[in-house]
Amino acid sequence: MTDAVSITRDLVRCPSVTPADAGALGVLEDLLKAAGFTTHRVTFSEAGYPDVDNLYARIGSEGPHITFAGHTDVVPPGDESAWSVGAFSGEVRDGVLYGRGAVDMKGGIACSVAAVLEHLAANDGKPRSDGKGSISFLITGDEEDVSINGTIKLLQWAAARGEKFDHCVLGEPSNVETLGDTIKVGRRGSQSGTLHVEGLQGHVAYPHRASNPVPDISRLIVAISDEPLDHGSAQFQASNLEFTSVDVGNTANNVIPGQARARFNIRYNDNHTQASLRELVETRLAKACGNRIRAHIVWEPSNSNVFVTKPGPFTDLAVSAIEEVTGRKPELSTSGGTSDARFISSYCPVIEFGLVGQTMHQVDERVPVADLEKLTKVYRGILARYFA
């Protein structure tokens, strides 16, 4: 069966908890091969990380080239006894399909595949009636964990083969309350670090022989995070720096610790680059330390840079297709966390539009069958407009 509900069910029945594939990519590969796609199963490796299977499939050899991206890996189901149905059953009850990945994001992938198959069937097996145009799929099994051997390497592999993408639709669950309310057109960047403050360990009864880093790190936390990083931009909310833990590694109540550490994360907008952001925080730290406090920041490597797909013909045709099917004009949003769109944005403009994300990662993750059918129609509308 090539409808979205059947494809979602078949994918959900593959227990593809990262990095396991469990047959999920095979389900898609079989469907796409039968429709005339050239497919490639690509496995990437890196020392210290599990090998990951990925799938690239393309039909057509000319532009314009639209690619649908997504991931078939899922988070663990948690306590399976707490589920109303089997976590990997794909069971439909009262018009709702249950299972881990139904929303995030096997359902979105299923809708894009079903839409593409319907589009090709209506065009004699071609992306466009005149024979031009290309459609492809970039599917990874490494999004829910470290994202080392997935989309970022699949894109590099495709680029090395001469593949060029004009636009991308990523089927992540972008909608907040109801299908059609939100298109994600960008994401803030993410940068983490650890603030280290040096002291001098000693006995609490003799504080003059020690240097307590706890009051110092408290002052520095306030100095670094109290003043806003910015006030937002045209398409992004304000950047924010949040301290997430403070630790001195001390179990004794009569010992002044020798060091204190505080971890933090920054979600930043297009007012900053990664380099300028680090410089801003380091400048605040130096000013607050003066000549007395000894402190430094250890920055964590980050590939979560800020990006935005600005409004234009591509976003316009997506909005039009969504409004036609759902009756809603979606908001173009840059809110939320990170996704593989941060990698894709270096290769082509990308938007995220998928299902409603309210139950993703939860027990009894589920999607109304009606939403799967509507999302398929939206993708059909995008394809029709794209190749018009």
Side-chain angles (χ1 to χ4, degrees), residues 80-312:
E80 293 194 55
S81 66
W83 286 68
S84 299
V85 300
F88 298 104
S89 68
E91 185 173 334
V92 177
R93 284 187 179 180
D94 300 321
V96 177
L97 190 152
Y98 289 76
R100 176 58 80 225
V103 171
D104 188 13
M105 60 168 287
K106 291 179 175 180
I109 292 174
C111 292
S112 63
V113 171
V116 167
L117 297 182
E118 291 176 11
H119 176 82
L120 293 173
N123 287 277
D124 297 323
K126 303 170 185 176
R128 199 163 74 176
S129 58
D130 63 3
K132 295 182 179 180
S134 297
I135 302 171
S136 64
F137 287 89
L138 286 158
I139 310 296
T140 183
D142 183 35
E143 196 271 351
E144 294 290 7
D145 194 11
V146 291
S147 298
I148 294 293
N149 288 319
T151 295
I152 190 169
K153 288 186 177 178
L154 187 60
L155 286 163
Q156 292 168 350
W157 172 89
R161 288 173 49 86
E163 299 285 337
K164 295 182 179 179
F165 311 104
D166 293 308
H167 296 91
C168 176
V169 177
L170 177 60
E172 286 281 5
S174 62
N175 292 282
V176 180
E177 298 289 341
T178 188
L179 193 72
D181 64 21
T182 307
I183 298 176
K184 293 292 178 65
V185 294
R187 301 277 187 162
R188 292 185 299 170
S190 177
Q191 174 66 67
S192 295
T194 303
L195 170 64
H196 294 255
V197 179
E198 301 298 328
L200 180 63
Q201 184 174 311
H203 197 292
V204 296
Y206 305 94
H208 57 286
R209 298 176 180 172
S211 178
N212 195 336
V214 176
D216 287 341
I217 201 168
S218 301
R219 296 185 185 98
L220 296 180
I221 287 172
V222 172
I224 291 173
S225 61
D226 226 22
E227 184 182 347
L229 295 169
D230 55 65
H231 299 284
S233 66
Q235 289 163 301
F236 287 91
Q237 64 192 90
S239 304
N240 64 293
L241 186 157
E242 303 296 332
F243 278 90
T244 57
S245 70
V246 180
D247 180 47
V248 295
N250 184 18
T251 59
N253 201 36
N254 61 347
V255 175
I256 292 171
Q259 187 186 71
R261 298 173 299 281
R263 298 189 66 197
F264 62 89
N265 177 265
I266 307 171
R267 296 301 168 102
Y268 63 96
N269 60 34
D270 53 352
N271 283 309
H272 312 274
T273 64
Q274 192 177 89
S276 69
L277 181 76
R278 291 183 177 187
E279 183 180 357
L280 172 60
V281 176
E282 294 273 12
T283 299
R284 288 186 181 183
L285 175 64
K287 182 179 179 181
C289 286
N291 296 320
R292 185 183 66 81
I293 302 176
R294 294 176 298 147
H296 67 280
I297 293 172
V298 176
W299 296 100
E300 295 181 13
S302 174
N303 53 22
S304 298
N305 296 314
V306 62
F307 77 91
V308 64
T309 297
K310 295 182 178 180

